[in-house]
């Protein structure tokens, strides 16, 4: 009789215990999620300077009338928080290779140097690494895309990518995307204290650059 009273009177206790256990599990998941999004151990402390460098490099591209836009991780940052991701030490700007002929690339390097940058060309991967000449931390990476007029697409430039062939479906490393997503004129959106060009339809470009992960949370795991 005493055992029955203990069991029958203990249902409320067990319900409270199960509720507490459930709360602890949910709280643990929330704390884990927040710690991943904050990722304090990987924060880049010169984000303001980096965004300023990107804006000044963009002014050089504007003077030379080269079409460019935020892409890759920098576009994720603009879409999520209107600035470069806090953990990134570089800003990625994609540039149309059809406008950046060899002569104009030489002018681009000259103009960047006159603006206080050092530019290093990586012809293999089709990009230009741009650093502050005064040693300010951070990298602005200009990534060139070449046209594929047959398919009305753009694809990564550089002799490494040109050696892969022209089949965008078979070669995901080409990062092909429809030309309509970067048709002129591109709109400018907030990027830190500045405004930078972005592709059309927001994150649509990311579906082509990150076909297997564009729908996931863009924050890294710590």
């Amino acid at each position: 009789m005493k055992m029955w009273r203990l069991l029958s009177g203990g249902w409320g206790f067990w319900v409270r215990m199960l509720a507490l256990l459930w709360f602890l599990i949910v709280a643990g998941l929330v704390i884990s999620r927040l710690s991943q999004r904050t990722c304090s151990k990987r924060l880049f402390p010169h984000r303001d300077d980096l965004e300023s460098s990107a804006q000044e490099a963009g002014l050089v591209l504007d003077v030379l009338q080269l079409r460019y836009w935020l892409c890759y991780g920098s576009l994720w940052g603009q879409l999520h928080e209107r600035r470069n991701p806090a953990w990134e030490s570089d800003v990625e700007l994609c540039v149309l290779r059809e406008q950046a002929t060899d002569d104009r690339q030489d002018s681009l390097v000259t103009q960047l140097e006159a603006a206080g940058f050092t530019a290093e060309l990586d012809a293999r991967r089709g990009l230009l690494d741009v650093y502050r000449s005064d040693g300010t931390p951070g990298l602005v990476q200009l990534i060139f895309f070449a046209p594929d007029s047959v398919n009305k697409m753009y694809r990564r430039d550089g002799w490494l990518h040109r050696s892969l062939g022209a089949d965008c479906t078979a070669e995901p490393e080409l990062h092909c995307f429809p030309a309509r997503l970067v048709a002129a004129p591109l709109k400018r959106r907030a990027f830190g204290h500045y405004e930078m060009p972005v592709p059309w339809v927001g994150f649509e470009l990311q579906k082509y650059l990150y076909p297997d992960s564009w729908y996931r949370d863009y924050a890294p795991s710590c």
Side-chain angles (χ1 to χ4, degrees):
M1 189 69 177
K2 290 182 179 180
M3 180 62 71
W4 169 251
R5 288 178 180 176
L6 178 63
L7 291 175
S8 60
W11 285 117
F13 169 78
W14 289 112
V15 169
R16 289 193 295 271
M17 288 298 293
L18 288 174
L20 177 61
L21 179 61
W22 178 252
F23 172 78
L24 292 174
I25 292 173
V26 172
L29 291 173
V30 170
I31 292 173
S32 175
R33 187 67 167 177
L34 289 175
S35 66
Q36 287 183 359
R37 290 191 63 88
T38 303
C39 203
S40 58
K41 67 181 180 181
R42 296 183 56 187
L43 296 183
F44 182 64
H46 306 281
R47 181 156 60 156
D48 289 339
D49 292 331
L50 178 57
E51 291 167 347
S52 176
S53 295
Q55 191 265 347
E56 292 186 32
L59 292 177
V60 174
L61 293 168
D62 287 331
V63 168
L64 294 174
Q65 297 183 332
L66 298 176
R67 196 184 316 164
Y68 67 98
W69 61 93
L70 292 169
C71 57
Y72 292 104
S74 296
L75 179 56
W76 276 137
Q78 196 285 324
L79 291 169
H80 282 271
E81 51 182 316
R82 302 297 184 263
R83 62 182 312 185
N84 209 51
W87 52 86
E88 294 287 355
S89 60
D90 64 343
V91 169
E92 293 125 325
L93 300 179
C94 289
V95 185
L96 293 187
R97 179 67 175 88
E98 61 184 335
Q99 297 179 332
T101 60
D102 291 340
D103 289 341
R104 297 185 79 180
Q105 277 194 349
D106 291 339
S107 297
L108 174 58
V109 171
T110 300
Q111 294 288 343
L112 286 170
E113 290 177 348
F117 294 102
T118 298
E120 299 175 359
L121 178 64
D122 185 344
R124 175 176 173 271
R125 295 190 296 155
L127 54 84
L128 198 65
D129 287 332
V130 180
Y131 303 89
R132 281 285 189 185
S133 300
D134 62 6
T136 300
L139 163 69
V140 179
Q141 199 166 61
L142 306 184
I143 305 169
F144 295 103
F145 276 78
D148 179 354
S149 57
V150 175
N151 298 310
K152 295 183 179 180
M153 305 277 281
Y154 283 109
R155 46 175 282 175
R156 280 290 299 270
D157 195 29
W159 61 261
L160 172 64
H161 301 102
R162 288 194 292 269
S163 68
L164 295 177
D167 190 343
C168 289
T169 303
E171 303 291 351
E173 294 180 21
L174 292 176
H175 292 178
C176 299
F177 62 86
R180 60 181 171 81
L181 295 181
V182 293
L186 292 175
K187 292 185 177 180
R188 292 176 180 261
R189 301 294 188 192
F191 189 66
H193 298 294
Y194 312 98
E195 290 188 344
M196 301 289 285
V198 296
W200 293 101
V201 203
F203 67 87
E204 185 70 17
L205 178 63
Q206 304 297 62
K207 293 181 180 180
Y208 295 91
L209 303 184
Y210 302 96
D212 299 322
S213 60
W214 65 268
Y215 49 86
R216 299 175 186 167
D217 190 342
Y218 88 123
S221 298
C222 294

